Amino acid sequence: MLSTLKREYAFVSGLGRTLLRISGVTPDAKISVASALEQSVDAHRNRPALLFHDNRLTYGDWDARANRYAHWALAQGLGAGDVVALAMQNRPEYLCAWFGLAKAGVAAALVNANLTGRALAHSLNAAGAKAVVAGEELAGPLAALAPDGPDPSALWFAGDGEGALKTEAHDRPAGSNDLDAALAGQSAERPDPDVRASLEGRDVAFLIYTSGTTGLPKAARLSAARVLTIMRAFAAIARSRPDDVVYSPLPLYHTVGGIMAPGIALTAGAAFATREHFSAHGFWADCDRYGATIFQYVGELCRYLVNSQPTDAERRHKLRVAIGNGLRPDVWDAFESRFKIPQIREYYGSTEGNITIINYDGKPGAIGRVPPYAQPVFGLKLVKFDPKTEQPVRGPDGKCVECAIGEAGEAIGKIDTKSARKRFDGYTDKESTEKKVLRGVFQEDDAWFRTGDLMRRDALGYFYFVDRIGDTFRWKGENVSTAEVSQALSSVDGVREINVYGVQAPGHNGRAGMAAVVSDEGFSLDALHAQAEAELPKYARPLFLRMQAELASTSTFKQVKGDLVKEGFDPNQIEDRLYFDHPEAKAYVPLTAELYQAIVTGDLRI
């Protein structure tokens, strides 16, 4: 009874704080991200705002630097409704740039600073940007796009600006511009707020690109109302206050690292600390150096920390809450107990989606909770899903079928254009936008956002992630969740990382299970095989193993499966060591060319 009351109190009080914090943020309100953050500056001008190695920028410093960017943008004839692409590695200058652009009413397209070639060109073209603000380190990749890249006159390069990272010198494209020199000649005073007076909550504040594991990035529109909702809601969830230090080594060009994490700090007058990129070795030293009290995570980052060698710094931290998503159940307990994290706030959400749920009471493994009485607030449903068609199941009446308790289905969120939380503003590409909308779900005229994620919920309203649609595969007439297979096998001694996927096996229907494995000392094929037999049904056990030195992943630690699926299990084409779960040996054996031939010709039944 007591635990039930605590759970309900945690949910109700957390939801109440969150809704109170975001009240007044509506699509038709005359609001802007810049004006909201200027209020924080005015209230905390002399307090530390941005921390980066030995650099310390106060709120006043941050504001002054951003003002120079605003005046620069206005001097270029840029204003409300325009877009500037921002491509820069993590450093304080990044946040100065987008804050300054926002002051001028300009939307920033946050381009992945690791992209090159076709993906980089596509991202710039999708934004429709009138100028590109880039770090010195991007000079080479941008120059390589010529003659199909942006006009050099639209390229503005920032070198070692105020609070910036010292970068290696690169040859800038001929005809490009020196942004540092241009900023030096601009005023540090605030521009007239009338330059953005026409903006409303529904207007685009940022373009942020999906970091999917296949295909080219899609530019998702984030309105000012959505950005402020994210910032204020998660500040409420983390209970951030001016004496906090929020630490996040995640990429600033992504929603989690560049909007949510700094938003938790900067809307509350706290400090935000970051570094160039995540380092398991340097993580706890950074927490100790900055006095971090709040940590923004993604799940794989936590797993790296759990697998790292113990350090003295990990026992000196002052963290009171870790907030993030993707913390797998098999990592949760180890992360919480080893590092003595007082509170973990796991949530579910996406850059472009209209669903966000929170695990307010820290129940291990749950990505959030929606009790039946709170359903109208969230507008979240799980509907039955057909993996063959990759579409929700429709009943005899043509309407979608809601899942029962414990049944896995696709999560969908009801679209409400009048709500900052429930809007779906889509992508710059209309076709991609329409593919994410499900119509006629429960009524003739309703519209719901397709998350592309399979979940299940229990009787108490806790939701659990099952898998990403497309990451499931069908073998022996059964549907297999790659996430559940990974979870079952990742606890085997010596398994440092594992990526599960399905591969085509000639002459067989469906896709056979395969796992790419990164191992440490103590790894045993026999132990992995025994765990698979003990924990998984036969159809879900990986038939093939691929041993790798490291796994490919996106900059936000999402595993990349596309190339692995295409390459399959042919030892004539793959240099990595391959193994096969031999039905006669009842063990993983080396996959030779002869054995491969027997499998693909059907001489050996699998």
Side-chain angles (χ1 to χ4, degrees), residues 447-492:
W448 294 67
F449 171 77
R450 293 192 65 184
T451 66
D453 290 325
L454 300 177
M455 303 180 192
R456 66 175 184 271
R457 63 185 175 94
D458 65 18
L460 294 176
Y462 288 101
F463 284 75
Y464 302 86
F465 181 80
V466 174
D467 217 337
R468 183 75 181 159
I469 290 173
D471 284 348
T472 56
F473 61 89
R474 192 170 179 84
W475 182 244
K476 302 295 185 182
E478 300 285 351
N479 299 319
V480 181
S481 163
T482 61
E484 291 186 352
V485 177
S486 294
Q487 181 178 328
L489 301 182
S490 60
S491 61
V492 174

mmCIF file of all heavy atoms in Angstrom, residues 447-492:
data_model
loop_
_atom_site.group_PDB
_atom_site.id
_atom_site.type_symbol
_atom_site.label_atom_id
_atom_site.label_comp_id
_atom_site.label_asym_id
_atom_site.label_seq_id
_atom_site.Cartn_x
_atom_site.Cartn_y
_atom_site.Cartn_z
ATOM 1 N N ALA A 447 -6.137 12.090 -36.446
ATOM 2 C CA ALA A 447 -4.776 11.928 -36.980
ATOM 3 C C ALA A 447 -3.828 11.670 -35.820
ATOM 4 O O ALA A 447 -3.892 12.354 -34.792
ATOM 5 C CB ALA A 447 -4.352 13.169 -37.760
ATOM 6 N N TRP A 448 -2.951 10.688 -36.010
ATOM 7 C CA TRP A 448 -2.026 10.287 -34.946
ATOM 8 C C TRP A 448 -0.612 10.201 -35.514
ATOM 9 O O TRP A 448 -0.407 9.831 -36.671
ATOM 10 C CB TRP A 448 -2.423 8.932 -34.364
ATOM 11 C CG TRP A 448 -3.747 8.946 -33.646
ATOM 12 C CD1 TRP A 448 -4.987 9.132 -34.199
ATOM 13 C CD2 TRP A 448 -3.953 8.758 -32.248
ATOM 14 N NE1 TRP A 448 -5.955 9.080 -33.239
ATOM 15 C CE2 TRP A 448 -5.355 8.843 -32.028
ATOM 16 C CE3 TRP A 448 -3.113 8.516 -31.158
ATOM 17 C CZ2 TRP A 448 -5.911 8.698 -30.757
ATOM 18 C CZ3 TRP A 448 -3.660 8.373 -29.900
ATOM 19 C CH2 TRP A 448 -5.041 8.469 -29.709
ATOM 20 N N PHE A 449 0.363 10.534 -34.665
ATOM 21 C CA PHE A 449 1.783 10.449 -35.049
ATOM 22 C C PHE A 449 2.281 9.030 -34.824
ATOM 23 O O PHE A 449 2.094 8.451 -33.749
ATOM 24 C CB PHE A 449 2.611 11.430 -34.212
ATOM 25 C CG PHE A 449 4.094 11.269 -34.379
ATOM 26 C CD1 PHE A 449 4.733 11.757 -35.493
ATOM 27 C CD2 PHE A 449 4.854 10.616 -33.411
ATOM 28 C CE1 PHE A 449 6.105 11.602 -35.666
ATOM 29 C CE2 PHE A 449 6.222 10.462 -33.561
ATOM 30 C CZ PHE A 449 6.849 10.956 -34.686
ATOM 31 N N ARG A 450 2.918 8.464 -35.845
ATOM 32 C CA ARG A 450 3.517 7.130 -35.736
ATOM 33 C C ARG A 450 4.936 7.253 -35.187
ATOM 34 O O ARG A 450 5.806 7.834 -35.837
ATOM 35 C CB ARG A 450 3.550 6.433 -37.090
ATOM 36 C CG ARG A 450 2.204 6.070 -37.655
ATOM 37 C CD ARG A 450 2.374 5.137 -38.841
ATOM 38 N NE ARG A 450 2.959 3.859 -38.437
ATOM 39 C CZ ARG A 450 3.283 2.883 -39.281
ATOM 40 N NH1 ARG A 450 3.100 3.052 -40.585
ATOM 41 N NH2 ARG A 450 3.790 1.755 -38.840
ATOM 42 N N THR A 451 5.180 6.663 -34.038
ATOM 43 C CA THR A 451 6.527 6.738 -33.454
ATOM 44 C C THR A 451 7.503 5.793 -34.132
ATOM 45 O O THR A 451 8.711 6.037 -34.135
ATOM 46 C CB THR A 451 6.499 6.389 -31.955
ATOM 47 O OG1 THR A 451 6.123 5.012 -31.798
ATOM 48 C CG2 THR A 451 5.529 7.278 -31.198
ATOM 49 N N GLY A 452 6.982 4.694 -34.694
ATOM 50 C CA GLY A 452 7.876 3.683 -35.240
ATOM 51 C C GLY A 452 8.496 2.814 -34.166
ATOM 52 O O GLY A 452 9.407 2.033 -34.444
ATOM 53 N N ASP A 453 7.990 2.911 -32.935
ATOM 54 C CA ASP A 453 8.519 2.139 -31.810
ATOM 55 C C ASP A 453 7.460 1.186 -31.275
ATOM 56 O O ASP A 453 6.291 1.552 -31.118
ATOM 57 C CB ASP A 453 8.978 3.065 -30.677
ATOM 58 C CG ASP A 453 10.234 3.845 -31.046
ATOM 59 O OD1 ASP A 453 11.083 3.279 -31.759
ATOM 60 O OD2 ASP A 453 10.349 5.005 -30.640
ATOM 61 N N LEU A 454 7.889 -0.022 -30.993
ATOM 62 C CA LEU A 454 7.022 -1.016 -30.383
ATOM 63 C C LEU A 454 7.203 -0.976 -28.870
ATOM 64 O O LEU A 454 8.333 -0.953 -28.377
ATOM 65 C CB LEU A 454 7.350 -2.414 -30.912
ATOM 66 C CG LEU A 454 7.201 -2.622 -32.422
ATOM 67 C CD1 LEU A 454 7.624 -4.036 -32.804
ATOM 68 C CD2 LEU A 454 5.766 -2.363 -32.867
ATOM 69 N N MET A 455 6.097 -0.962 -28.143
ATOM 70 C CA MET A 455 6.119 -0.929 -26.680
ATOM 71 C C MET A 455 5.063 -1.882 -26.136
ATOM 72 O O MET A 455 4.202 -2.361 -26.866
ATOM 73 C CB MET A 455 5.809 0.482 -26.162
ATOM 74 C CG MET A 455 6.706 1.585 -26.647
ATOM 75 S SD MET A 455 6.170 3.161 -25.927
ATOM 76 C CE MET A 455 7.138 4.301 -26.923
ATOM 77 N N ARG A 456 5.158 -2.111 -24.854
ATOM 78 C CA ARG A 456 4.076 -2.782 -24.135
ATOM 79 C C ARG A 456 3.878 -2.056 -22.812
ATOM 80 O O ARG A 456 4.776 -1.351 -22.341
ATOM 81 C CB ARG A 456 4.386 -4.260 -23.907
ATOM 82 C CG ARG A 456 5.563 -4.535 -22.981
ATOM 83 C CD ARG A 456 5.711 -6.034 -22.709
ATOM 84 N NE ARG A 456 6.778 -6.280 -21.760
ATOM 85 C CZ ARG A 456 8.048 -6.469 -22.062
ATOM 86 N NH1 ARG A 456 8.416 -6.437 -23.337
ATOM 87 N NH2 ARG A 456 8.965 -6.685 -21.136
ATOM 88 N N ARG A 457 2.717 -2.212 -22.216
ATOM 89 C CA ARG A 457 2.444 -1.569 -20.936
ATOM 90 C C ARG A 457 1.882 -2.595 -19.965
ATOM 91 O O ARG A 457 1.278 -3.598 -20.369
ATOM 92 C CB ARG A 457 1.455 -0.410 -21.101
ATOM 93 C CG ARG A 457 0.085 -0.804 -21.582
ATOM 94 C CD ARG A 457 -0.800 0.409 -21.845
ATOM 95 N NE ARG A 457 -2.078 0.005 -22.430
ATOM 96 C CZ ARG A 457 -3.182 -0.222 -21.737
ATOM 97 N NH1 ARG A 457 -3.169 -0.068 -20.416
ATOM 98 N NH2 ARG A 457 -4.297 -0.586 -22.335
ATOM 99 N N ASP A 458 2.094 -2.332 -18.681
ATOM 100 C CA ASP A 458 1.571 -3.252 -17.670
ATOM 101 C C ASP A 458 0.303 -2.665 -17.041
ATOM 102 O O ASP A 458 -0.166 -1.580 -17.422
ATOM 103 C CB ASP A 458 2.634 -3.589 -16.618
ATOM 104 C CG ASP A 458 3.065 -2.388 -15.781
ATOM 105 O OD1 ASP A 458 2.343 -1.363 -15.745
ATOM 106 O OD2 ASP A 458 4.141 -2.464 -15.148
ATOM 107 N N ALA A 459 -0.239 -3.389 -16.078
ATOM 108 C CA ALA A 459 -1.519 -2.996 -15.493
ATOM 109 C C ALA A 459 -1.441 -1.695 -14.712
ATOM 110 O O ALA A 459 -2.466 -1.038 -14.499
ATOM 111 C CB ALA A 459 -2.025 -4.115 -14.581
ATOM 112 N N LEU A 460 -0.244 -1.280 -14.285
ATOM 113 C CA LEU A 460 -0.086 -0.043 -13.531
ATOM 114 C C LEU A 460 0.166 1.160 -14.439
ATOM 115 O O LEU A 460 0.297 2.284 -13.956
ATOM 116 C CB LEU A 460 1.066 -0.181 -12.535
ATOM 117 C CG LEU A 460 0.841 -1.201 -11.407
ATOM 118 C CD1 LEU A 460 2.099 -1.319 -10.552
ATOM 119 C CD2 LEU A 460 -0.354 -0.812 -10.551
ATOM 120 N N GLY A 461 0.268 0.913 -15.732
ATOM 121 C CA GLY A 461 0.466 2.012 -16.676
ATOM 122 C C GLY A 461 1.911 2.281 -17.015
ATOM 123 O O GLY A 461 2.211 3.271 -17.696
ATOM 124 N N TYR A 462 2.851 1.418 -16.567
ATOM 125 C CA TYR A 462 4.251 1.576 -16.951
ATOM 126 C C TYR A 462 4.436 1.079 -18.381
ATOM 127 O O TYR A 462 3.909 0.024 -18.761
ATOM 128 C CB TYR A 462 5.174 0.777 -16.021
ATOM 129 C CG TYR A 462 5.307 1.367 -14.643
ATOM 130 C CD1 TYR A 462 4.597 0.843 -13.572
ATOM 131 C CD2 TYR A 462 6.147 2.447 -14.415
ATOM 132 C CE1 TYR A 462 4.720 1.377 -12.299
ATOM 133 C CE2 TYR A 462 6.281 2.995 -13.147
ATOM 134 C CZ TYR A 462 5.558 2.466 -12.090
ATOM 135 O OH TYR A 462 5.685 3.007 -10.836
ATOM 136 N N PHE A 463 5.213 1.826 -19.166
ATOM 137 C CA PHE A 463 5.506 1.455 -20.541
ATOM 138 C C PHE A 463 6.938 0.938 -20.646
ATOM 139 O O PHE A 463 7.845 1.453 -19.977
ATOM 140 C CB PHE A 463 5.315 2.656 -21.475
ATOM 141 C CG PHE A 463 3.873 2.966 -21.762
ATOM 142 C CD1 PHE A 463 3.063 3.572 -20.812
ATOM 143 C CD2 PHE A 463 3.321 2.648 -22.995
ATOM 144 C CE1 PHE A 463 1.737 3.861 -21.073
ATOM 145 C CE2 PHE A 463 1.990 2.938 -23.275
ATOM 146 C CZ PHE A 463 1.195 3.538 -22.310
ATOM 147 N N TYR A 464 7.133 -0.065 -21.513
ATOM 148 C CA TYR A 464 8.439 -0.683 -21.704
ATOM 149 C C TYR A 464 8.743 -0.731 -23.200
ATOM 150 O O TYR A 464 7.896 -1.132 -24.004
ATOM 151 C CB TYR A 464 8.461 -2.095 -21.119
ATOM 152 C CG TYR A 464 8.129 -2.140 -19.642
ATOM 153 C CD1 TYR A 464 6.805 -2.206 -19.219
ATOM 154 C CD2 TYR A 464 9.133 -2.077 -18.679
ATOM 155 C CE1 TYR A 464 6.482 -2.225 -17.868
ATOM 156 C CE2 TYR A 464 8.824 -2.094 -17.324
ATOM 157 C CZ TYR A 464 7.496 -2.167 -16.930
ATOM 158 O OH TYR A 464 7.185 -2.176 -15.590
ATOM 159 N N PHE A 465 9.950 -0.325 -23.544
ATOM 160 C CA PHE A 465 10.367 -0.344 -24.941
ATOM 161 C C PHE A 465 10.619 -1.789 -25.373
ATOM 162 O O PHE A 465 11.279 -2.551 -24.667
ATOM 163 C CB PHE A 465 11.638 0.483 -25.129
ATOM 164 C CG PHE A 465 12.129 0.528 -26.547
ATOM 165 C CD1 PHE A 465 11.547 1.380 -27.469
ATOM 166 C CD2 PHE A 465 13.193 -0.267 -26.958
ATOM 167 C CE1 PHE A 465 11.997 1.433 -28.784
ATOM 168 C CE2 PHE A 465 13.652 -0.227 -28.264
ATOM 169 C CZ PHE A 465 13.054 0.633 -29.182
ATOM 170 N N VAL A 466 10.093 -2.161 -26.542
ATOM 171 C CA VAL A 466 10.306 -3.505 -27.076
ATOM 172 C C VAL A 466 11.322 -3.466 -28.200
ATOM 173 O O VAL A 466 12.333 -4.149 -28.167
ATOM 174 C CB VAL A 466 8.972 -4.110 -27.573
ATOM 175 C CG1 VAL A 466 9.211 -5.454 -28.276
ATOM 176 C CG2 VAL A 466 8.011 -4.300 -26.402
ATOM 177 N N ASP A 467 11.073 -2.671 -29.230
ATOM 178 C CA ASP A 467 12.017 -2.588 -30.350
ATOM 179 C C ASP A 467 11.596 -1.478 -31.292
ATOM 180 O O ASP A 467 10.467 -0.972 -31.231
ATOM 181 C CB ASP A 467 12.085 -3.901 -31.118
ATOM 182 C CG ASP A 467 13.490 -4.228 -31.594
ATOM 183 O OD1 ASP A 467 14.303 -3.301 -31.729
ATOM 184 O OD2 ASP A 467 13.780 -5.419 -31.814
ATOM 185 N N ARG A 468 12.499 -1.124 -32.153
ATOM 186 C CA ARG A 468 12.235 -0.176 -33.219
ATOM 187 C C ARG A 468 11.687 -0.939 -34.413
ATOM 188 O O ARG A 468 12.223 -2.005 -34.772
ATOM 189 C CB ARG A 468 13.536 0.538 -33.611
ATOM 190 C CG ARG A 468 13.396 1.604 -34.677
ATOM 191 C CD ARG A 468 12.767 2.844 -34.142
ATOM 192 N NE ARG A 468 12.631 3.853 -35.193
ATOM 193 C CZ ARG A 468 11.780 4.853 -35.137
ATOM 194 N NH1 ARG A 468 11.003 4.995 -34.081
ATOM 195 N NH2 ARG A 468 11.706 5.724 -36.117
ATOM 196 N N ILE A 469 10.616 -0.442 -35.009
ATOM 197 C CA ILE A 469 10.083 -1.093 -36.200
ATOM 198 C C ILE A 469 11.167 -1.088 -37.278
ATOM 199 O O ILE A 469 11.780 -0.074 -37.562
ATOM 200 C CB ILE A 469 8.821 -0.370 -36.704
ATOM 201 C CG1 ILE A 469 7.673 -0.600 -35.712
ATOM 202 C CG2 ILE A 469 8.424 -0.850 -38.096
ATOM 203 C CD1 ILE A 469 6.435 0.194 -36.023
ATOM 204 N N GLY A 470 11.390 -2.245 -37.863
ATOM 205 C CA GLY A 470 12.493 -2.401 -38.813
ATOM 206 C C GLY A 470 13.658 -3.115 -38.177
ATOM 207 O O GLY A 470 14.479 -3.721 -38.875
ATOM 208 N N ASP A 471 13.747 -3.042 -36.838
ATOM 209 C CA ASP A 471 14.785 -3.790 -36.138
ATOM 210 C C ASP A 471 14.290 -5.183 -35.747
ATOM 211 O O ASP A 471 15.069 -6.030 -35.357
ATOM 212 C CB ASP A 471 15.237 -3.045 -34.874
ATOM 213 C CG ASP A 471 16.133 -1.865 -35.210
ATOM 214 O OD1 ASP A 471 16.566 -1.772 -36.364
ATOM 215 O OD2 ASP A 471 16.391 -1.042 -34.322
ATOM 216 N N THR A 472 13.001 -5.400 -35.821
ATOM 217 C CA THR A 472 12.478 -6.743 -35.633
ATOM 218 C C THR A 472 12.694 -7.533 -36.920
ATOM 219 O O THR A 472 12.805 -6.962 -38.004
ATOM 220 C CB THR A 472 10.978 -6.717 -35.303
ATOM 221 O OG1 THR A 472 10.301 -6.021 -36.349
ATOM 222 C CG2 THR A 472 10.715 -6.013 -33.989
ATOM 223 N N PHE A 473 12.785 -8.848 -36.796
ATOM 224 C CA PHE A 473 12.851 -9.682 -37.991
ATOM 225 C C PHE A 473 12.038 -10.950 -37.752
ATOM 226 O O PHE A 473 11.711 -11.294 -36.612
ATOM 227 C CB PHE A 473 14.295 -10.003 -38.386
ATOM 228 C CG PHE A 473 15.084 -10.766 -37.348
ATOM 229 C CD1 PHE A 473 15.091 -12.155 -37.321
ATOM 230 C CD2 PHE A 473 15.843 -10.082 -36.404
ATOM 231 C CE1 PHE A 473 15.828 -12.854 -36.374
ATOM 232 C CE2 PHE A 473 16.586 -10.775 -35.460
ATOM 233 C CZ PHE A 473 16.575 -12.166 -35.446
ATOM 234 N N ARG A 474 11.684 -11.618 -38.812
ATOM 235 C CA ARG A 474 10.824 -12.798 -38.743
ATOM 236 C C ARG A 474 11.612 -14.033 -39.168
ATOM 237 O O ARG A 474 12.226 -14.048 -40.231
ATOM 238 C CB ARG A 474 9.593 -12.608 -39.636
ATOM 239 C CG ARG A 474 8.492 -13.641 -39.413
ATOM 240 C CD ARG A 474 7.232 -13.216 -40.156
ATOM 241 N NE ARG A 474 6.136 -14.167 -40.005
ATOM 242 C CZ ARG A 474 5.301 -14.170 -38.959
ATOM 243 N NH1 ARG A 474 5.458 -13.286 -37.994
ATOM 244 N NH2 ARG A 474 4.319 -15.066 -38.893
ATOM 245 N N TRP A 475 11.597 -15.052 -38.313
ATOM 246 C CA TRP A 475 12.341 -16.276 -38.596
ATOM 247 C C TRP A 475 11.533 -17.459 -38.084
ATOM 248 O O TRP A 475 11.002 -17.413 -36.980
ATOM 249 C CB TRP A 475 13.708 -16.226 -37.932
ATOM 250 C CG TRP A 475 14.595 -17.415 -38.196
ATOM 251 C CD1 TRP A 475 15.052 -18.317 -37.291
ATOM 252 C CD2 TRP A 475 15.149 -17.819 -39.454
ATOM 253 N NE1 TRP A 475 15.842 -19.262 -37.893
ATOM 254 C CE2 TRP A 475 15.928 -18.976 -39.236
ATOM 255 C CE3 TRP A 475 15.050 -17.318 -40.754
ATOM 256 C CZ2 TRP A 475 16.603 -19.642 -40.254
ATOM 257 C CZ3 TRP A 475 15.727 -17.973 -41.770
ATOM 258 C CH2 TRP A 475 16.492 -19.108 -41.526
ATOM 259 N N LYS A 476 11.427 -18.489 -38.916
ATOM 260 C CA LYS A 476 10.659 -19.685 -38.566
ATOM 261 C C LYS A 476 9.213 -19.331 -38.220
ATOM 262 O O LYS A 476 8.602 -19.918 -37.324
ATOM 263 C CB LYS A 476 11.310 -20.429 -37.396
ATOM 264 C CG LYS A 476 12.735 -20.865 -37.639
ATOM 265 C CD LYS A 476 12.832 -21.899 -38.749
ATOM 266 C CE LYS A 476 14.262 -22.421 -38.900
ATOM 267 N NZ LYS A 476 14.388 -23.396 -40.022
ATOM 268 N N GLY A 477 8.681 -18.309 -38.906
ATOM 269 C CA GLY A 477 7.305 -17.912 -38.686
ATOM 270 C C GLY A 477 7.061 -17.120 -37.427
ATOM 271 O O GLY A 477 5.913 -16.845 -37.073
ATOM 272 N N GLU A 478 8.136 -16.720 -36.745
ATOM 273 C CA GLU A 478 8.009 -15.982 -35.490
ATOM 274 C C GLU A 478 8.692 -14.625 -35.604
ATOM 275 O O GLU A 478 9.708 -14.476 -36.303
ATOM 276 C CB GLU A 478 8.644 -16.762 -34.326
ATOM 277 C CG GLU A 478 8.040 -18.130 -34.072
ATOM 278 C CD GLU A 478 6.695 -18.051 -33.398
ATOM 279 O OE1 GLU A 478 6.298 -16.949 -32.970
ATOM 280 O OE2 GLU A 478 6.019 -19.100 -33.298
ATOM 281 N N ASN A 479 8.142 -13.634 -34.902
ATOM 282 C CA ASN A 479 8.738 -12.308 -34.872
ATOM 283 C C ASN A 479 9.776 -12.231 -33.763
ATOM 284 O O ASN A 479 9.512 -12.648 -32.627
ATOM 285 C CB ASN A 479 7.666 -11.237 -34.646
ATOM 286 C CG ASN A 479 6.637 -11.242 -35.749
ATOM 287 O OD1 ASN A 479 6.973 -11.397 -36.923
ATOM 288 N ND2 ASN A 479 5.376 -11.086 -35.388
ATOM 289 N N VAL A 480 10.928 -11.685 -34.088
ATOM 290 C CA VAL A 480 12.032 -11.607 -33.132
ATOM 291 C C VAL A 480 12.379 -10.142 -32.884
ATOM 292 O O VAL A 480 12.566 -9.371 -33.833
ATOM 293 C CB VAL A 480 13.281 -12.355 -33.651
ATOM 294 C CG1 VAL A 480 14.408 -12.279 -32.622
ATOM 295 C CG2 VAL A 480 12.939 -13.802 -33.979
ATOM 296 N N SER A 481 12.467 -9.761 -31.625
ATOM 297 C CA SER A 481 12.877 -8.412 -31.245
ATOM 298 C C SER A 481 14.383 -8.393 -31.027
ATOM 299 O O SER A 481 14.905 -9.105 -30.169
ATOM 300 C CB SER A 481 12.162 -7.982 -29.960
ATOM 301 O OG SER A 481 12.817 -6.873 -29.371
ATOM 302 N N THR A 482 15.079 -7.569 -31.804
ATOM 303 C CA THR A 482 16.537 -7.488 -31.644
ATOM 304 C C THR A 482 16.909 -6.962 -30.265
ATOM 305 O O THR A 482 17.913 -7.374 -29.686
ATOM 306 C CB THR A 482 17.155 -6.585 -32.723
ATOM 307 O OG1 THR A 482 16.612 -5.260 -32.606
ATOM 308 C CG2 THR A 482 16.862 -7.112 -34.115
ATOM 309 N N ALA A 483 16.087 -6.049 -29.733
ATOM 310 C CA ALA A 483 16.391 -5.485 -28.419
ATOM 311 C C ALA A 483 16.306 -6.545 -27.326
ATOM 312 O O ALA A 483 17.149 -6.583 -26.413
ATOM 313 C CB ALA A 483 15.430 -4.331 -28.106
ATOM 314 N N GLU A 484 15.324 -7.426 -27.414
ATOM 315 C CA GLU A 484 15.179 -8.447 -26.389
ATOM 316 C C GLU A 484 16.293 -9.486 -26.480
ATOM 317 O O GLU A 484 16.761 -10.000 -25.463
ATOM 318 C CB GLU A 484 13.799 -9.090 -26.498
ATOM 319 C CG GLU A 484 12.674 -8.128 -26.111
ATOM 320 C CD GLU A 484 11.307 -8.771 -26.080
ATOM 321 O OE1 GLU A 484 11.190 -9.938 -26.509
ATOM 322 O OE2 GLU A 484 10.358 -8.113 -25.633
ATOM 323 N N VAL A 485 16.751 -9.802 -27.688
ATOM 324 C CA VAL A 485 17.876 -10.725 -27.844
ATOM 325 C C VAL A 485 19.145 -10.095 -27.286
ATOM 326 O O VAL A 485 19.915 -10.740 -26.573
ATOM 327 C CB VAL A 485 18.060 -11.127 -29.316
ATOM 328 C CG1 VAL A 485 19.289 -12.025 -29.482
ATOM 329 C CG2 VAL A 485 16.822 -11.838 -29.841
ATOM 330 N N SER A 486 19.358 -8.822 -27.613
ATOM 331 C CA SER A 486 20.534 -8.119 -27.089
ATOM 332 C C SER A 486 20.536 -8.106 -25.576
ATOM 333 O O SER A 486 21.571 -8.340 -24.926
ATOM 334 C CB SER A 486 20.568 -6.681 -27.615
ATOM 335 O OG SER A 486 20.753 -6.640 -28.998
ATOM 336 N N GLN A 487 19.378 -7.833 -25.000
ATOM 337 C CA GLN A 487 19.285 -7.773 -23.547
ATOM 338 C C GLN A 487 19.596 -9.125 -22.926
ATOM 339 O O GLN A 487 20.278 -9.218 -21.901
ATOM 340 C CB GLN A 487 17.886 -7.319 -23.140
ATOM 341 C CG GLN A 487 17.685 -7.188 -21.641
ATOM 342 C CD GLN A 487 16.301 -6.688 -21.297
ATOM 343 O OE1 GLN A 487 15.712 -5.923 -22.054
ATOM 344 N NE2 GLN A 487 15.786 -7.122 -20.166
ATOM 345 N N ALA A 488 19.139 -10.203 -23.546
ATOM 346 C CA ALA A 488 19.356 -11.543 -23.002
ATOM 347 C C ALA A 488 20.824 -11.951 -23.043
ATOM 348 O O ALA A 488 21.296 -12.694 -22.173
ATOM 349 C CB ALA A 488 18.514 -12.559 -23.771
ATOM 350 N N LEU A 489 21.564 -11.472 -24.041
ATOM 351 C CA LEU A 489 22.941 -11.933 -24.237
ATOM 352 C C LEU A 489 24.000 -10.963 -23.734
ATOM 353 O O LEU A 489 25.165 -11.340 -23.589
ATOM 354 C CB LEU A 489 23.180 -12.225 -25.725
ATOM 355 C CG LEU A 489 22.261 -13.277 -26.356
ATOM 356 C CD1 LEU A 489 22.638 -13.503 -27.812
ATOM 357 C CD2 LEU A 489 22.322 -14.585 -25.580
ATOM 358 N N SER A 490 23.637 -9.726 -23.480
ATOM 359 C CA SER A 490 24.645 -8.734 -23.108
ATOM 360 C C SER A 490 25.223 -8.958 -21.715
ATOM 361 O O SER A 490 26.265 -8.400 -21.380
ATOM 362 C CB SER A 490 24.053 -7.319 -23.198
ATOM 363 O OG SER A 490 22.948 -7.188 -22.325
ATOM 364 N N SER A 491 24.558 -9.768 -20.909
ATOM 365 C CA SER A 491 25.059 -10.014 -19.554
ATOM 366 C C SER A 491 26.110 -11.127 -19.497
ATOM 367 O O SER A 491 26.685 -11.391 -18.441
ATOM 368 C CB SER A 491 23.890 -10.381 -18.624
ATOM 369 O OG SER A 491 23.234 -11.556 -19.069
ATOM 370 N N VAL A 492 26.372 -11.781 -20.623
ATOM 371 C CA VAL A 492 27.380 -12.839 -20.663
ATOM 372 C C VAL A 492 28.762 -12.234 -20.398
ATOM 373 O O VAL A 492 29.111 -11.188 -20.950
ATOM 374 C CB VAL A 492 27.360 -13.564 -22.025
ATOM 375 C CG1 VAL A 492 28.501 -14.573 -22.119
ATOM 376 C CG2 VAL A 492 26.024 -14.256 -22.229
#
